[in-house]
PDB file of all heavy atoms in Angstrom:
ATOM      1  N   VAL A 209     103.566 104.617 113.885  1.00 98.00           N
ATOM      2  CA  VAL A 209     103.911 104.626 112.443  1.00 98.00           C
ATOM      3  C   VAL A 209     104.271 103.204 111.958  1.00 98.00           C
ATOM      4  O   VAL A 209     103.856 102.751 110.874  1.00 98.00           O
ATOM      5  CB  VAL A 209     104.998 105.631 112.121  1.00 98.00           C
ATOM      6  CG1 VAL A 209     105.489 105.528 110.664  1.00 98.00           C
ATOM      7  CG2 VAL A 209     104.543 107.051 112.413  1.00 98.00           C
ATOM      8  N   ARG A 210     105.096 102.530 112.733  1.00 97.00           N
ATOM      9  CA  ARG A 210     105.494 101.182 112.367  1.00 97.00           C
ATOM     10  C   ARG A 210     104.319 100.207 112.313  1.00 97.00           C
ATOM     11  O   ARG A 210     104.183  99.458 111.350  1.00 97.00           O
ATOM     12  CB  ARG A 210     106.537 100.675 113.395  1.00 97.00           C
ATOM     13  CG  ARG A 210     107.208  99.400 113.091  1.00 97.00           C
ATOM     14  CD  ARG A 210     108.336  99.067 114.027  1.00 97.00           C
ATOM     15  NE  ARG A 210     107.954  99.055 115.450  1.00 97.00           N
ATOM     16  CZ  ARG A 210     108.413  99.980 116.300  1.00 97.00           C
ATOM     17  NH1 ARG A 210     109.200 100.974 115.950  1.00 97.00           N
ATOM     18  NH2 ARG A 210     108.047  99.932 117.586  1.00 97.00           N
ATOM     19  N   GLU A 211     103.345 100.291 113.256  1.00 97.00           N
ATOM     20  CA  GLU A 211     102.270  99.364 113.273  1.00 97.00           C
ATOM     21  C   GLU A 211     101.257  99.664 112.131  1.00 97.00           C
ATOM     22  O   GLU A 211     100.759  98.763 111.484  1.00 97.00           O
ATOM     23  CB  GLU A 211     101.562  99.411 114.647  1.00 97.00           C
ATOM     24  CG  GLU A 211     102.397  98.756 115.746  1.00 97.00           C
ATOM     25  CD  GLU A 211     102.746  97.295 115.447  1.00 97.00           C
ATOM     26  OE1 GLU A 211     101.769  96.499 115.356  1.00 97.00           O
ATOM     27  OE2 GLU A 211     103.917  96.983 115.285  1.00 97.00           O
ATOM     28  N   VAL A 212     100.967 100.944 111.922  1.00 97.00           N
ATOM     29  CA  VAL A 212     100.107 101.318 110.794  1.00 97.00           C
ATOM     30  C   VAL A 212     100.742 100.850 109.499  1.00 97.00           C
ATOM     31  O   VAL A 212     100.069 100.305 108.640  1.00 97.00           O
ATOM     32  CB  VAL A 212      99.763 102.804 110.825  1.00 97.00           C
ATOM     33  CG1 VAL A 212      99.037 103.198 109.540  1.00 97.00           C
ATOM     34  CG2 VAL A 212      98.892 103.155 111.999  1.00 97.00           C
ATOM     35  N   GLY A 213     102.030 101.086 109.378  1.00 96.00           N
ATOM     36  CA  GLY A 213     102.763 100.667 108.150  1.00 96.00           C
ATOM     37  C   GLY A 213     102.747  99.183 107.968  1.00 96.00           C
ATOM     38  O   GLY A 213     102.606  98.660 106.847  1.00 96.00           O
ATOM     39  N   ARG A 214     102.993  98.444 109.057  1.00 96.00           N
ATOM     40  CA  ARG A 214     102.977  97.004 108.943  1.00 96.00           C
ATOM     41  C   ARG A 214     101.655  96.464 108.418  1.00 96.00           C
ATOM     42  O   ARG A 214     101.644  95.681 107.438  1.00 96.00           O
ATOM     43  CB  ARG A 214     103.212  96.410 110.351  1.00 96.00           C
ATOM     44  CG  ARG A 214     103.215  94.905 110.432  1.00 96.00           C
ATOM     45  CD  ARG A 214     103.492  94.424 111.855  1.00 96.00           C
ATOM     46  NE  ARG A 214     102.562  94.836 112.830  1.00 96.00           N
ATOM     47  CZ  ARG A 214     101.413  94.165 113.109  1.00 96.00           C
ATOM     48  NH1 ARG A 214     101.084  93.104 112.471  1.00 96.00           N
ATOM     49  NH2 ARG A 214     100.581  94.612 114.050  1.00 96.00           N
ATOM     50  N   ILE A 215     100.546  96.953 108.927  1.00 96.00           N
ATOM     51  CA  ILE A 215      99.235  96.497 108.477  1.00 96.00           C
ATOM     52  C   ILE A 215      98.892  97.087 107.092  1.00 96.00           C
ATOM     53  O   ILE A 215      98.434  96.378 106.176  1.00 96.00           O
ATOM     54  CB  ILE A 215      98.111  96.901 109.466  1.00 96.00           C
ATOM     55  CG1 ILE A 215      98.390  96.267 110.855  1.00 96.00           C
ATOM     56  CG2 ILE A 215      96.720  96.521 108.956  1.00 96.00           C
ATOM     57  CD1 ILE A 215      98.310  94.801 110.933  1.00 96.00           C
ATOM     58  N   GLY A 216      99.193  98.346 106.907  1.00 95.00           N
ATOM     59  CA  GLY A 216      98.918  98.978 105.610  1.00 95.00           C
ATOM     60  C   GLY A 216      99.687  98.366 104.485  1.00 95.00           C
ATOM     61  O   GLY A 216      99.089  98.092 103.379  1.00 95.00           O
ATOM     62  N   GLU A 217     100.930  98.101 104.677  1.00 95.00           N
ATOM     63  CA  GLU A 217     101.729  97.509 103.596  1.00 95.00           C
ATOM     64  C   GLU A 217     101.336  96.079 103.365  1.00 95.00           C
ATOM     65  O   GLU A 217     101.292  95.589 102.193  1.00 95.00           O
ATOM     66  CB  GLU A 217     103.239  97.569 103.971  1.00 95.00           C
ATOM     67  CG  GLU A 217     103.749  99.022 103.868  1.00 95.00           C
ATOM     68  CD  GLU A 217     105.173  99.223 104.389  1.00 95.00           C
ATOM     69  OE1 GLU A 217     105.823  98.213 104.687  1.00 95.00           O
ATOM     70  OE2 GLU A 217     105.624 100.351 104.466  1.00 95.00           O
ATOM     71  N   ALA A 218     101.027  95.313 104.420  1.00 94.00           N
ATOM     72  CA  ALA A 218     100.568  93.937 104.203  1.00 94.00           C
ATOM     73  C   ALA A 218      99.266  93.855 103.429  1.00 94.00           C
ATOM     74  O   ALA A 218      99.065  93.056 102.506  1.00 94.00           O
ATOM     75  CB  ALA A 218     100.384  93.240 105.591  1.00 94.00           C
ATOM     76  N   TRP A 219      98.354  94.812 103.738  1.00 93.00           N
ATOM     77  CA  TRP A 219      97.066  94.882 103.019  1.00 93.00           C
ATOM     78  C   TRP A 219      97.303  95.296 101.559  1.00 93.00           C
ATOM     79  O   TRP A 219      96.713  94.698 100.651  1.00 93.00           O
ATOM     80  CB  TRP A 219      96.128  95.851 103.670  1.00 93.00           C
ATOM     81  CG  TRP A 219      94.854  96.067 102.886  1.00 93.00           C
ATOM     82  CD1 TRP A 219      94.476  97.228 102.274  1.00 93.00           C
ATOM     83  CD2 TRP A 219      93.874  95.112 102.528  1.00 93.00           C
ATOM     84  NE1 TRP A 219      93.316  97.041 101.574  1.00 93.00           N
ATOM     85  CE2 TRP A 219      92.882  95.752 101.708  1.00 93.00           C
ATOM     86  CE3 TRP A 219      93.703  93.753 102.809  1.00 93.00           C
ATOM     87  CZ2 TRP A 219      91.807  95.062 101.185  1.00 93.00           C
ATOM     88  CZ3 TRP A 219      92.600  93.108 102.289  1.00 93.00           C
ATOM     89  CH2 TRP A 219      91.676  93.724 101.489  1.00 93.00           C
ATOM     90  N   ALA A 220      98.192  96.232 101.331  1.00 93.00           N
ATOM     91  CA  ALA A 220      98.444  96.671  99.953  1.00 93.00           C
ATOM     92  C   ALA A 220      99.030  95.556  99.132  1.00 93.00           C
ATOM     93  O   ALA A 220      98.592  95.294  97.967  1.00 93.00           O
ATOM     94  CB  ALA A 220      99.399  97.854 100.005  1.00 93.00           C
ATOM     95  N   GLU A 221      99.925  94.762  99.794  1.00 93.00           N
ATOM     96  CA  GLU A 221     100.516  93.643  99.046  1.00 93.00           C
ATOM     97  C   GLU A 221      99.496  92.545  98.752  1.00 93.00           C
ATOM     98  O   GLU A 221      99.477  91.996  97.671  1.00 93.00           O
ATOM     99  CB  GLU A 221     101.704  93.079  99.849  1.00 93.00           C
ATOM    100  CG  GLU A 221     102.411  91.990  99.149  1.00 93.00           C
ATOM    101  CD  GLU A 221     103.625  91.505  99.968  1.00 93.00           C
ATOM    102  OE1 GLU A 221     104.369  92.338 100.497  1.00 93.00           O
ATOM    103  OE2 GLU A 221     103.802  90.267 100.008  1.00 93.00           O
ATOM    104  N   ALA A 222      98.703  92.244  99.711  1.00 92.00           N
ATOM    105  CA  ALA A 222      97.694  91.157  99.609  1.00 92.00           C
ATOM    106  C   ALA A 222      96.591  91.518  98.642  1.00 92.00           C
ATOM    107  O   ALA A 222      96.109  90.659  97.910  1.00 92.00           O
ATOM    108  CB  ALA A 222      97.136  90.796 100.943  1.00 92.00           C
ATOM    109  N   SER A 223      96.202  92.765  98.620  1.00 91.00           N
ATOM    110  CA  SER A 223      95.043  93.186  97.856  1.00 91.00           C
ATOM    111  C   SER A 223      95.400  93.796  96.489  1.00 91.00           C
ATOM    112  O   SER A 223      94.553  93.892  95.632  1.00 91.00           O
ATOM    113  CB  SER A 223      94.195  94.254  98.633  1.00 91.00           C
ATOM    114  OG  SER A 223      94.931  95.456  98.732  1.00 91.00           O
ATOM    115  N   GLY A 224      96.641  94.220  96.382  1.00 91.00           N
ATOM    116  CA  GLY A 224      97.046  94.905  95.134  1.00 91.00           C
ATOM    117  C   GLY A 224      96.611  96.347  95.115  1.00 91.00           C
ATOM    118  O   GLY A 224      96.798  97.023  94.141  1.00 91.00           O
ATOM    119  N   ALA A 225      96.048  96.806  96.204  1.00 87.00           N
ATOM    120  CA  ALA A 225      95.553  98.180  96.291  1.00 87.00           C
ATOM    121  C   ALA A 225      96.667  99.117  96.670  1.00 87.00           C
ATOM    122  O   ALA A 225      97.643  98.696  97.336  1.00 87.00           O
ATOM    123  CB  ALA A 225      94.413  98.285  97.311  1.00 87.00           C
ATOM    124  N   SER A 226      96.534 100.329  96.299  1.00 88.00           N
ATOM    125  CA  SER A 226      97.491 101.362  96.731  1.00 88.00           C
ATOM    126  C   SER A 226      96.994 101.963  98.078  1.00 88.00           C
ATOM    127  O   SER A 226      95.824 102.387  98.124  1.00 88.00           O
ATOM    128  CB  SER A 226      97.650 102.441  95.690  1.00 88.00           C
ATOM    129  OG  SER A 226      98.457 103.486  96.117  1.00 88.00           O
ATOM    130  N   VAL A 227      97.802 101.959  99.112  1.00 88.00           N
ATOM    131  CA  VAL A 227      97.388 102.474 100.385  1.00 88.00           C
ATOM    132  C   VAL A 227      98.352 103.559 100.794  1.00 88.00           C
ATOM    133  O   VAL A 227      99.539 103.295 101.009  1.00 88.00           O
ATOM    134  CB  VAL A 227      97.360 101.315 101.431  1.00 88.00           C
ATOM    135  CG1 VAL A 227      96.973 101.878 102.800  1.00 88.00           C
ATOM    136  CG2 VAL A 227      96.429 100.210 101.019  1.00 88.00           C
ATOM    137  N   GLU A 228      97.856 104.790 100.908  1.00 92.00           N
ATOM    138  CA  GLU A 228      98.631 105.964 101.380  1.00 92.00           C
ATOM    139  C   GLU A 228      98.429 106.126 102.842  1.00 92.00           C
ATOM    140  O   GLU A 228      97.576 106.884 103.292  1.00 92.00           O
ATOM    141  CB  GLU A 228      98.219 107.166 100.605  1.00 92.00           C
ATOM    142  CG  GLU A 228      99.095 108.413 100.900  1.00 92.00           C
ATOM    143  CD  GLU A 228     100.542 108.220 100.637  1.00 92.00           C
ATOM    144  OE1 GLU A 228     100.898 107.596  99.610  1.00 92.00           O
ATOM    145  OE2 GLU A 228     101.342 108.777 101.409  1.00 92.00           O
ATOM    146  N   TRP A 229      99.230 105.407 103.638  1.00 93.00           N
ATOM    147  CA  TRP A 229      99.018 105.418 105.103  1.00 93.00           C
ATOM    148  C   TRP A 229      99.904 106.345 105.896  1.00 93.00           C
ATOM    149  O   TRP A 229      99.594 106.752 107.004  1.00 93.00           O
ATOM    150  CB  TRP A 229      99.200 103.955 105.626  1.00 93.00           C
ATOM    151  CG  TRP A 229     100.559 103.406 105.272  1.00 93.00           C
ATOM    152  CD1 TRP A 229     100.872 102.616 104.230  1.00 93.00           C
ATOM    153  CD2 TRP A 229     101.754 103.595 106.051  1.00 93.00           C
ATOM    154  NE1 TRP A 229     102.184 102.305 104.240  1.00 93.00           N
ATOM    155  CE2 TRP A 229     102.804 102.870 105.403  1.00 93.00           C
ATOM    156  CE3 TRP A 229     102.103 104.248 107.220  1.00 93.00           C
ATOM    157  CZ2 TRP A 229     104.073 102.832 105.822  1.00 93.00           C
ATOM    158  CZ3 TRP A 229     103.397 104.238 107.699  1.00 93.00           C
ATOM    159  CH2 TRP A 229     104.380 103.512 106.989  1.00 93.00           C
ATOM    160  N   GLU A 230     100.990 106.812 105.292  1.00 95.00           N
ATOM    161  CA  GLU A 230     101.992 107.554 106.033  1.00 95.00           C
ATOM    162  C   GLU A 230     101.540 108.914 106.627  1.00 95.00           C
ATOM    163  O   GLU A 230     101.782 109.154 107.820  1.00 95.00           O
ATOM    164  CB  GLU A 230     103.272 107.733 105.255  1.00 95.00           C
ATOM    165  CG  GLU A 230     104.023 106.395 104.973  1.00 95.00           C
ATOM    166  CD  GLU A 230     105.221 106.553 104.180  1.00 95.00           C
ATOM    167  OE1 GLU A 230     106.148 107.223 104.637  1.00 95.00           O
ATOM    168  OE2 GLU A 230     105.278 106.059 103.040  1.00 95.00           O
ATOM    169  N   PRO A 231     100.873 109.738 105.833  1.00 95.00           N
ATOM    170  CA  PRO A 231     100.463 111.052 106.473  1.00 95.00           C
ATOM    171  C   PRO A 231      99.555 110.816 107.669  1.00 95.00           C
ATOM    172  O   PRO A 231      99.724 111.470 108.690  1.00 95.00           O
ATOM    173  CB  PRO A 231      99.730 111.737 105.305  1.00 95.00           C
ATOM    174  CG  PRO A 231     100.299 111.099 104.080  1.00 95.00           C
ATOM    175  CD  PRO A 231     100.509 109.707 104.428  1.00 95.00           C
ATOM    176  N   ALA A 232      98.512 110.002 107.513  1.00 96.00           N
ATOM    177  CA  ALA A 232      97.586 109.789 108.646  1.00 96.00           C
ATOM    178  C   ALA A 232      98.304 109.105 109.823  1.00 96.00           C
ATOM    179  O   ALA A 232      97.980 109.430 110.980  1.00 96.00           O
ATOM    180  CB  ALA A 232      96.419 108.940 108.172  1.00 96.00           C
ATOM    181  N   ALA A 233      99.196 108.188 109.545  1.00 97.00           N
ATOM    182  CA  ALA A 233      99.979 107.547 110.619  1.00 97.00           C
ATOM    183  C   ALA A 233     100.823 108.538 111.401  1.00 97.00           C
ATOM    184  O   ALA A 233     100.918 108.478 112.585  1.00 97.00           O
ATOM    185  CB  ALA A 233     100.849 106.415 110.080  1.00 97.00           C
ATOM    186  N   ASN A 234     101.457 109.444 110.647  1.00 96.00           N
ATOM    187  CA  ASN A 234     102.296 110.452 111.325  1.00 96.00           C
ATOM    188  C   ASN A 234     101.471 111.421 112.184  1.00 96.00           C
ATOM    189  O   ASN A 234     101.853 111.763 113.288  1.00 96.00           O
ATOM    190  CB  ASN A 234     103.137 111.224 110.292  1.00 96.00           C
ATOM    191  CG  ASN A 234     104.203 110.480 109.708  1.00 96.00           C
ATOM    192  OD1 ASN A 234     104.842 109.641 110.393  1.00 96.00           O
ATOM    193  ND2 ASN A 234     104.496 110.615 108.425  1.00 96.00           N
ATOM    194  N   ASP A 235     100.314 111.764 111.676  1.00 95.00           N
ATOM    195  CA  ASP A 235      99.386 112.608 112.494  1.00 95.00           C
ATOM    196  C   ASP A 235      98.903 111.891 113.738  1.00 95.00           C
ATOM    197  O   ASP A 235      98.888 112.440 114.827  1.00 95.00           O
ATOM    198  CB  ASP A 235      98.142 113.028 111.655  1.00 95.00           C
ATOM    199  CG  ASP A 235      98.541 114.071 110.571  1.00 95.00           C
ATOM    200  OD1 ASP A 235      99.635 114.669 110.610  1.00 95.00           O
ATOM    201  OD2 ASP A 235      97.705 114.249 109.675  1.00 95.00           O
ATOM    202  N   ALA A 236      98.553 110.596 113.537  1.00 96.00           N
ATOM    203  CA  ALA A 236      98.098 109.823 114.677  1.00 96.00           C
ATOM    204  C   ALA A 236      99.200 109.658 115.711  1.00 96.00           C
ATOM    205  O   ALA A 236      98.968 109.600 116.893  1.00 96.00           O
ATOM    206  CB  ALA A 236      97.595 108.468 114.241  1.00 96.00           C
ATOM    207  N   ALA A 237     100.431 109.461 115.228  1.00 97.00           N
ATOM    208  CA  ALA A 237     101.562 109.248 116.135  1.00 97.00           C
ATOM    209  C   ALA A 237     101.706 110.350 117.141  1.00 97.00           C
ATOM    210  O   ALA A 237     101.920 110.176 118.333  1.00 97.00           O
ATOM    211  CB  ALA A 237     102.835 109.040 115.320  1.00 97.00           C
ATOM    212  N   THR A 238     101.615 111.584 116.661  1.00 94.00           N
ATOM    213  CA  THR A 238     101.743 112.784 117.490  1.00 94.00           C
ATOM    214  C   THR A 238     100.561 112.826 118.511  1.00 94.00           C
ATOM    215  O   THR A 238     100.802 113.041 119.703  1.00 94.00           O
ATOM    216  CB  THR A 238     101.753 114.042 116.676  1.00 94.00           C
ATOM    217  OG1 THR A 238     102.888 113.992 115.817  1.00 94.00           O
ATOM    218  CG2 THR A 238     101.837 115.294 117.583  1.00 94.00           C
ATOM    219  N   ALA A 239      99.346 112.602 117.986  1.00 95.00           N
ATOM    220  CA  ALA A 239      98.158 112.591 118.847  1.00 95.00           C
ATOM    221  C   ALA A 239      98.223 111.560 119.950  1.00 95.00           C
ATOM    222  O   ALA A 239      97.921 111.813 121.118  1.00 95.00           O
ATOM    223  CB  ALA A 239      96.903 112.511 118.053  1.00 95.00           C
ATOM    224  N   VAL A 240      98.624 110.333 119.562  1.00 96.00           N
ATOM    225  CA  VAL A 240      98.688 109.208 120.519  1.00 96.00           C
ATOM    226  C   VAL A 240      99.711 109.504 121.569  1.00 96.00           C
ATOM    227  O   VAL A 240      99.466 109.310 122.780  1.00 96.00           O
ATOM    228  CB  VAL A 240      99.050 107.926 119.776  1.00 96.00           C
ATOM    229  CG1 VAL A 240      99.414 106.817 120.781  1.00 96.00           C
ATOM    230  CG2 VAL A 240      97.927 107.438 118.885  1.00 96.00           C
ATOM    231  N   SER A 241     100.894 109.936 121.188  1.00 96.00           N
ATOM    232  CA  SER A 241     101.926 110.228 122.115  1.00 96.00           C
ATOM    233  C   SER A 241     101.530 111.307 123.127  1.00 96.00           C
ATOM    234  O   SER A 241     101.735 111.161 124.340  1.00 96.00           O
ATOM    235  CB  SER A 241     103.236 110.611 121.422  1.00 96.00           C
ATOM    236  OG  SER A 241     104.278 110.820 122.337  1.00 96.00           O
ATOM    237  N   ASP A 242     100.930 112.347 122.636  1.00 96.00           N
ATOM    238  CA  ASP A 242     100.482 113.444 123.511  1.00 96.00           C
ATOM    239  C   ASP A 242      99.486 112.940 124.529  1.00 96.00           C
ATOM    240  O   ASP A 242      99.539 113.201 125.724  1.00 96.00           O
ATOM    241  CB  ASP A 242      99.909 114.609 122.705  1.00 96.00           C
ATOM    242  CG  ASP A 242     100.997 115.388 121.894  1.00 96.00           C
ATOM    243  OD1 ASP A 242     102.167 115.162 122.130  1.00 96.00           O
ATOM    244  OD2 ASP A 242     100.554 116.167 121.077  1.00 96.00           O
ATOM    245  N   ARG A 243      98.488 112.201 124.034  1.00 98.00           N
ATOM    246  CA  ARG A 243      97.394 111.715 124.906  1.00 98.00           C
ATOM    247  C   ARG A 243      97.852 110.712 125.910  1.00 98.00           C
ATOM    248  O   ARG A 243      97.552 110.803 127.089  1.00 98.00           O
ATOM    249  CB  ARG A 243      96.250 111.157 124.042  1.00 98.00           C
ATOM    250  CG  ARG A 243      95.101 110.623 124.867  1.00 98.00           C
ATOM    251  CD  ARG A 243      93.980 109.968 124.026  1.00 98.00           C
ATOM    252  NE  ARG A 243      94.440 108.873 123.248  1.00 98.00           N
ATOM    253  CZ  ARG A 243      94.694 107.616 123.686  1.00 98.00           C
ATOM    254  NH1 ARG A 243      94.590 107.391 124.944  1.00 98.00           N
ATOM    255  NH2 ARG A 243      95.099 106.683 122.853  1.00 98.00           N
ATOM    256  N   VAL A 244      98.580 109.698 125.435  1.00 98.00           N
ATOM    257  CA  VAL A 244      98.958 108.599 126.338  1.00 98.00           C
ATOM    258  C   VAL A 244      99.975 109.125 127.369  1.00 98.00           C
ATOM    259  O   VAL A 244      99.860 108.754 128.523  1.00 98.00           O
ATOM    260  CB  VAL A 244      99.549 107.410 125.512  1.00 98.00           C
ATOM    261  CG1 VAL A 244     100.254 106.431 126.450  1.00 98.00           C
ATOM    262  CG2 VAL A 244      98.452 106.737 124.748  1.00 98.00           C
ATOM    263  N   CYS A 245     100.893 109.949 126.962  1.00 98.00           N
ATOM    264  CA  CYS A 245     101.855 110.463 127.948  1.00 98.00           C
ATOM    265  C   CYS A 245     101.181 111.406 128.981  1.00 98.00           C
ATOM    266  O   CYS A 245     101.562 111.362 130.153  1.00 98.00           O
ATOM    267  CB  CYS A 245     103.051 111.131 127.245  1.00 98.00           C
ATOM    268  SG  CYS A 245     104.080 109.873 126.375  1.00 98.00           S
ATOM    269  N   ALA A 246     100.189 112.152 128.524  1.00 98.00           N
ATOM    270  CA  ALA A 246      99.481 112.943 129.487  1.00 98.00           C
ATOM    271  C   ALA A 246      98.675 112.068 130.454  1.00 98.00           C
ATOM    272  O   ALA A 246      98.677 112.339 131.639  1.00 98.00           O
ATOM    273  CB  ALA A 246      98.467 113.898 128.751  1.00 98.00           C
ATOM    274  N   ASP A 247      98.092 110.962 129.952  1.00 98.00           N
ATOM    275  CA  ASP A 247      97.398 110.040 130.831  1.00 98.00           C
ATOM    276  C   ASP A 247      98.344 109.342 131.827  1.00 98.00           C
ATOM    277  O   ASP A 247      97.995 109.140 132.948  1.00 98.00           O
ATOM    278  CB  ASP A 247      96.637 109.004 129.990  1.00 98.00           C
ATOM    279  CG  ASP A 247      95.438 109.601 129.218  1.00 98.00           C
ATOM    280  OD1 ASP A 247      95.057 110.744 129.541  1.00 98.00           O
ATOM    281  OD2 ASP A 247      94.883 108.865 128.390  1.00 98.00           O
ATOM    282  N   LEU A 248      99.494 109.045 131.347  1.00 98.00           N
ATOM    283  CA  LEU A 248     100.553 108.448 132.234  1.00 98.00           C
ATOM    284  C   LEU A 248     100.890 109.409 133.338  1.00 98.00           C
ATOM    285  O   LEU A 248     101.001 109.095 134.547  1.00 98.00           O
ATOM    286  CB  LEU A 248     101.784 108.016 131.491  1.00 98.00           C
ATOM    287  CG  LEU A 248     101.712 106.759 130.682  1.00 98.00           C
ATOM    288  CD1 LEU A 248     102.920 106.588 129.772  1.00 98.00           C
ATOM    289  CD2 LEU A 248     101.512 105.511 131.556  1.00 98.00           C
ATOM    290  N   ARG A 249     101.078 110.690 132.991  1.00 98.00           N
ATOM    291  CA  ARG A 249     101.439 111.707 133.957  1.00 98.00           C
ATOM    292  C   ARG A 249     100.313 111.884 135.013  1.00 98.00           C
ATOM    293  O   ARG A 249     100.597 112.045 136.254  1.00 98.00           O
ATOM    294  CB  ARG A 249     101.721 113.092 133.361  1.00 98.00           C
ATOM    295  CG  ARG A 249     103.083 113.061 132.630  1.00 98.00           C
ATOM    296  CD  ARG A 249     103.434 114.420 132.040  1.00 98.00           C
ATOM    297  NE  ARG A 249     104.591 114.359 131.183  1.00 98.00           N
ATOM    298  CZ  ARG A 249     104.475 114.206 129.875  1.00 98.00           C
ATOM    299  NH1 ARG A 249     103.363 114.164 129.217  1.00 98.00           N
ATOM    300  NH2 ARG A 249     105.625 114.118 129.161  1.00 98.00           N
TER     301      ARG A 249
END
């Protein structure tokens, strides 16, 4: 969430565009954690 927000907010500020990144970032966070932790196990 932090990394998607960092890039998303920087892009929004630089471009003046509105970027709604939070819902997709939250969904990705769960998927990433599940996948990576399973791979570590």
